[in-house]
Amino acid sequence: MKILLLGKAGQVGQELRHALPPLGQLVALGRGDGDLRDQDALLRTVAAHRPDIIINAAAYTAVDQAETDQNAAAQVNAQAVATLAAYAKDTHALLVHYSTDYVFDGNKSQPYTETDPPHPLNVYGATKLAGESAILASGCDALVFRCSWTYALHGKNFPATILRLARTRNRLDVVADQIGAPTPAALIADVTARAIVRHRHHPLPGGIYHLAASGATSWHALARYVVAGAAARGAALALTPDRIRPIASKDYPAAAKRPHNSRLDTTRLSDALGLRLPSWTEGMDRFLDQLSARGEFT
Ligand SMILES: NC(=O)c1ccc[n+]([C@@H]2O[C@H](COP(=O)([O-])OP(=O)(O)OC[C@H]3O[C@@H](n4cnc5c(N)ncnc54)[C@H](OP(=O)(O)O)[C@@H]3O)[C@@H](O)[C@H]2O)c1
């Protein structure tokens, strides 16, 4: 079985490079192997590898920048995805793709299910929704995992930013009225590998699955958790949890609007695969332990 991974350098892409090799022959490509904005080149590249499975972990993920860079965001998040879906349909390949909680407007009071109507608030969310829609419209064999609040030891993410700021700042204002589940990229990669194995033997119903750690927190509570956890592991920080002030989204200047409720109901996925999605605190504790083991807190 030949697996083609796109986006090998991203948070999820790097974790997939660890999780996928036992499943088959893995070819992992990054931006240096071709820009996803060039649809003809993308099609040529994919066709040259003749994959049985295409995993697209590449995306335009700069949420605020997308507001003023709509074309690039649409080319990567929608048009390139449509190209991959058309190829997968023609060749009977499986397409695995990732989407986001930002397809929702966050007005629901409960966690979102896969059947809730999407209504993105920003360009990033709209382009990701267009990508999902292209996959579903193509009729290809596809698994689309909607994820939330992703982080990893590598790459740009919220916990890493908070830890960087905590070294030099002794006060911080953090948004407290957006809630979601911080989800490790490694969990996304592990579940992806498990879903592929399962799908090969007993095909899963295709389409969209919500994939997130269980439980929920706010950005503000998460920032406090990370700073307290790093301090408990010996990090010398200028910031203490009590000096992290809660603020409202409307008081935090950002180009893109974000949903207040990013919680995803993962029942469909956990039932389909028979798995338990660990709590966000388990993932965050492991992340802090790994940073500590790497000597980042000494
Ligand atoms: N991060 C989150 O909080 C979050 C939340 C929900 C869903 N998701 C979704 O989960 C998936 C993986 O996210 P992630 O956090 O791993 O993203 P990431 O770390 O930003 O990685 C995205 C990758 O896509 C590549 N890429 C971007 N534009 C490209 C282009 N024009 N041509 C070729 N490659 C391009 C980037 O290349 P470079 O390394 O060269 O820039 C990067 O390696 C995405 O579909 C994302 O929408 C993420």
Coordinates of all heavy atoms in Angstrom, one line a residue, residues 101-108 112 117-122 257-262:
D101 N -12.8 23.2 13.5 CA -14.0 23.7 14.3 C -14.4 25.1 13.7 O -15.5 25.5 14.0 CB -13.6 23.8 15.7 CG -12.3 24.6 16.0 OD1 -11.3 24.1 15.4 OD2 -12.3 25.6 16.6
Y102 N -13.5 25.8 13.0 CA -13.9 27.2 12.6 C -14.8 27.2 11.4 O -15.2 28.2 10.9 CB -12.6 27.9 12.2 CG -11.8 28.5 13.4 CD1 -12.1 28.1 14.7 CD2 -10.8 29.4 13.2 CE1 -11.4 28.5 15.8 CE2 -10.1 29.8 14.3 CZ -10.4 29.4 15.6 OH -9.7 29.9 16.7
V103 N -15.3 26.0 11.0 CA -16.5 25.9 10.0 C -17.8 26.3 10.7 O -18.8 26.6 10.1 CB -16.6 24.6 9.3 CG1 -15.4 24.2 8.5 CG2 -17.0 23.5 10.3
F104 N -17.8 26.4 12.1 CA -19.0 26.7 12.8 C -18.9 28.2 13.3 O -17.8 28.7 13.5 CB -19.2 25.8 14.0 CG -19.4 24.3 13.6 CD1 -18.5 23.4 13.9 CD2 -20.5 24.0 12.9 CE1 -18.7 22.0 13.5 CE2 -20.7 22.7 12.5 CZ -19.8 21.7 12.8
D105 N -20.1 28.8 13.6 CA -20.0 30.1 14.1 C -20.0 30.2 15.7 O -19.8 31.3 16.2 CB -21.3 30.9 13.6 CG -22.6 30.3 14.1 OD1 -22.6 29.6 15.1 OD2 -23.6 30.7 13.5
G106 N -20.1 29.0 16.4 CA -19.9 29.0 17.8 C -21.1 29.5 18.6 O -21.0 29.6 19.8
N107 N -22.2 29.7 17.9 CA -23.4 30.1 18.7 C -24.2 29.0 19.4 O -25.0 29.3 20.2 CB -24.4 30.9 17.7 CG -23.8 32.2 17.3 OD1 -23.0 32.8 18.0 ND2 -24.1 32.6 16.1
K108 N -23.8 27.8 19.1 CA -24.5 26.6 19.8 C -24.0 26.5 21.2 O -22.8 26.8 21.4 CB -24.2 25.4 19.0 CG -25.0 24.2 19.4 CD -24.6 22.9 18.6 CE -25.4 21.7 19.1 NZ -25.0 20.5 18.5
Y112 N -20.6 20.7 19.0 CA -21.1 20.5 17.6 C -21.0 19.1 17.1 O -19.9 18.4 17.4 CB -20.3 21.4 16.7 CG -20.7 22.9 16.7 CD1 -20.1 23.8 17.5 CD2 -21.8 23.3 15.9 CE1 -20.5 25.1 17.6 CE2 -22.2 24.7 16.0 CZ -21.6 25.5 16.8 OH -22.0 26.8 16.9
P117 N -25.3 22.4 11.0 CA -25.0 23.2 9.8 C -23.8 24.1 10.1 O -23.8 24.8 11.1 CB -26.3 24.1 9.6 CG -27.1 23.9 10.8 CD -26.7 22.7 11.6
P118 N -22.8 24.1 9.2 CA -21.7 25.0 9.3 C -22.0 26.4 9.0 O -23.0 26.7 8.2 CB -20.7 24.4 8.3 CG -21.4 23.6 7.4 CD -22.7 23.2 8.0
H119 N -21.3 27.4 9.5 CA -21.5 28.8 9.2 C -20.3 29.5 9.7 O -20.2 30.1 10.8 CB -22.8 29.3 10.0 CG -23.0 30.7 9.7 ND1 -23.4 31.6 10.7 CD2 -23.0 31.4 8.6 CE1 -23.5 32.8 10.2 NE2 -23.3 32.7 8.9
P120 N -19.2 29.5 8.8 CA -17.9 30.1 9.3 C -18.0 31.6 9.5 O -18.7 32.3 8.8 CB -17.0 29.7 8.1 CG -17.8 29.2 7.0 CD -19.2 28.9 7.5
L121 N -17.2 32.1 10.4 CA -17.1 33.5 10.7 C -16.0 34.2 10.0 O -15.9 35.4 10.0 CB -17.0 33.7 12.2 CG -18.0 33.2 13.2 CD1 -17.6 33.4 14.6 CD2 -19.3 33.9 12.9
N122 N -15.1 33.4 9.5 CA -13.9 34.0 8.9 C -13.5 33.3 7.6 O -14.0 32.3 7.3 CB -12.7 34.1 9.9 CG -12.4 32.7 10.5 OD1 -12.3 31.7 9.7 ND2 -12.2 32.6 11.8
K257 N -12.7 37.1 13.0 CA -13.6 36.7 14.1 C -13.4 35.2 14.4 O -13.2 34.4 13.5 CB -15.0 37.0 13.7 CG -15.5 38.4 14.1 CD -17.0 38.5 13.8 CE -17.8 38.2 14.9 NZ -19.3 38.4 14.7
R258 N -13.6 34.9 15.7 CA -13.5 33.4 16.0 C -14.7 33.0 16.8 O -15.3 33.8 17.5 CB -12.2 33.2 16.8 CG -10.9 33.3 16.0 CD -9.7 33.5 16.9 NE -8.5 33.3 16.2 CZ -7.9 34.2 15.4 NH1 -8.4 35.4 15.1 NH2 -6.7 33.9 14.8
P259 N -15.1 31.7 16.7 CA -16.3 31.2 17.4 C -16.1 31.2 18.9 O -15.0 30.9 19.4 CB -16.5 29.8 16.8 CG -15.2 29.4 16.2 CD -14.4 30.7 15.8
H260 N -17.1 31.5 19.7 CA -17.0 31.4 21.1 C -17.1 29.9 21.6 O -16.4 29.6 22.5 CB -18.2 32.1 21.8 CG -18.1 33.6 21.6 ND1 -17.1 34.3 22.2 CD2 -18.8 34.5 21.0 CE1 -17.2 35.6 21.9 NE2 -18.3 35.8 21.2
N261 N -17.8 29.1 20.8 CA -17.9 27.7 21.2 C -17.2 26.9 20.1 O -17.7 26.8 19.0 CB -19.3 27.3 21.4 CG -19.5 25.8 21.6 OD1 -18.5 25.1 22.0 ND2 -20.7 25.3 21.4
S262 N -16.1 26.3 20.4 CA -15.4 25.4 19.4 C -15.4 23.9 19.8 O -14.7 23.1 19.3 CB -13.9 25.8 19.3 OG -13.7 26.9 18.5

